[in-house]
Amino acid sequence: TVAATELLSFAGSDIISQASTTATGSSSSIMLEAPKISLLNGSVINTTNFGKGASGDVMVKADESVVVGGFNIEESDISNIATNSFGSGKAGNLTLQTENLHIFDGGIVGSGALSSGKGGNVRVNANDILVENISPLGISAITSTTFGSGDAGYVSINTQKLVARNGGSITSSGLSQGNGGNLSVNATESVLISGSTDDKFSELRSSINVPSPFFQSLLGLSAEPSGNAGNIIINSPQIALNNGGRISVRNQGKGDAGSLQLIANRLDI
């Protein structure tokens, strides 16, 4: 546990817990607790496994705000809070609770499965959530992804207001045999998906995608993925899409696309 009475600030620094290829036990969990927490300039909070052991959970609690953004281009690092599995063990779950969550300039909050182990579940509880902009290293996102045969975990967001803009996204995806996780958003006021940056559209998406030649070579992936995409359910009084914003379910491989359910009093497109 790392705690502070006012502010926990990371600027190009890391807290990483790992379980090695020979480990059968889990890596340690990480808990951050402070009124304000910020990760900038490629800072990393991460639990990872490389073998049979699971990776630990990550828990972040900030009464006022959590900020995740920025990158270190020389080290190819993006600011992220994540749990990952590179082995057969399961990735840990990620829970983030705060009043205001701001993810920007390539920041990531999520979980990944890169082999046969399952991805962790991602739970975000925040009154106001803003995910925006991209970086040279990628999009800003709340995400759950599988690159291997292990299934991705689900993404669950509970908020008053969710805004994804200028390339910011909320995603559940897969590139191989593993199934994508379900994605649910409960917003008591509104959901806005808006705009794009450098042809990267803001979106709320569940998908199975054909991996790029780079990932096919790096991870030994087939050019035709076989996993099923997860389902999307969004429940909010007002849901709005504008300036190219998207909500979608799709499958570019052999499997099924997920279902899409929108529950709203008002839908603006």
Side-chain angles (χ1 to χ4, degrees):
T1 299
V2 181
T5 57
E6 294 183 3
L7 170 67
L8 274 177
S9 179
F10 302 86
S13 53
D14 305 336
I15 298 178
I16 298 175
S17 174
Q18 295 183 344
S20 69
T21 55
T22 58
T24 55
S26 302
S27 66
S28 297
S29 295
I30 297 173
M31 181 171 183
L32 305 181
E33 187 169 4
K36 299 179 181 180
I37 298 173
S38 69
L39 280 76
L40 304 173
N41 304 330
S43 298
V44 175
I45 306 297
N46 185 286
T47 63
T48 302
N49 73 60
F50 292 92
K52 296 180 181 179
S55 65
D57 296 332
V58 173
M59 294 153 283
V60 178
K61 184 178 180 181
D63 289 341
E64 297 181 28
S65 64
V66 174
V67 176
V68 182
F71 55 92
N72 183 330
I73 197 70
E74 294 180 355
E75 301 293 332
S76 297
D77 285 338
I78 57 172
S79 295
N80 71 88
I81 302 173
T83 66
N84 293 304
S85 172
F86 287 83
S88 58
K90 182 185 181 298
N93 296 321
L94 189 159
T95 303
L96 189 155
Q97 181 176 335
T98 189
E99 182 76 14
N100 297 288
L101 173 61
H102 185 198
I103 303 172
F104 67 99
D105 291 355
I108 295 289
V109 171
S111 183
L114 289 93
S115 186
S116 59
K118 293 183 178 181
N121 299 319
V122 178
R123 305 180 185 95
V124 176
N125 300 308
N127 283 346
D128 289 287
I129 300 174
L130 172 59
V131 186
E132 62 177 347
N133 303 335
I134 65 173
S135 79
L137 301 176
I139 65 172
S140 306
I142 299 172
T143 184
S144 174
T145 304
T146 172
F147 295 85
S149 58
D151 294 342
Y154 65 73
V155 176
S156 173
I157 296 174
N158 291 288
T159 185
Q160 290 182 358
K161 183 166 61 177
L162 170 64
V163 176
R165 67 188 185 194
N166 301 332
S169 295
I170 318 294
T171 66
S172 170
S173 63
L175 298 173
S176 186
Q177 303 169 50
N179 298 318
N182 294 329
L183 195 165
S184 66
V185 176
N186 289 294
T188 57
E189 292 185 9
S190 62
V191 173
L192 172 63
I193 313 296
S194 175
S196 64
T197 301
D198 295 337
D199 296 326
K200 300 292 185 182
F201 289 91
S202 294
E203 56 184 346
L204 202 157
R205 167 175 51 84
S206 173
S207 64
I208 300 295
N209 307 311
V210 173
S212 67
F214 171 79
F215 280 116
Q216 291 177 38
S217 175
L218 179 67
L219 301 175
L221 302 181
S222 168
E224 188 175 24
S226 57
N228 298 317
N231 303 318
I232 291 178
I233 181 168
I234 305 173
N235 188 350
S236 181
Q238 182 173 346
I239 300 172
L241 306 177
N242 60 42
N243 298 322
R246 301 173 177 177
I247 298 175
S248 67
V249 292
R250 65 172 184 259
N251 195 317
Q252 298 177 338
K254 300 176 182 178
D256 297 330
S259 63
L260 171 60
Q261 185 176 8
L262 305 180
I263 303 170
N265 294 330
R266 176 173 176 172
L267 178 60
D268 296 321
I269 299 176

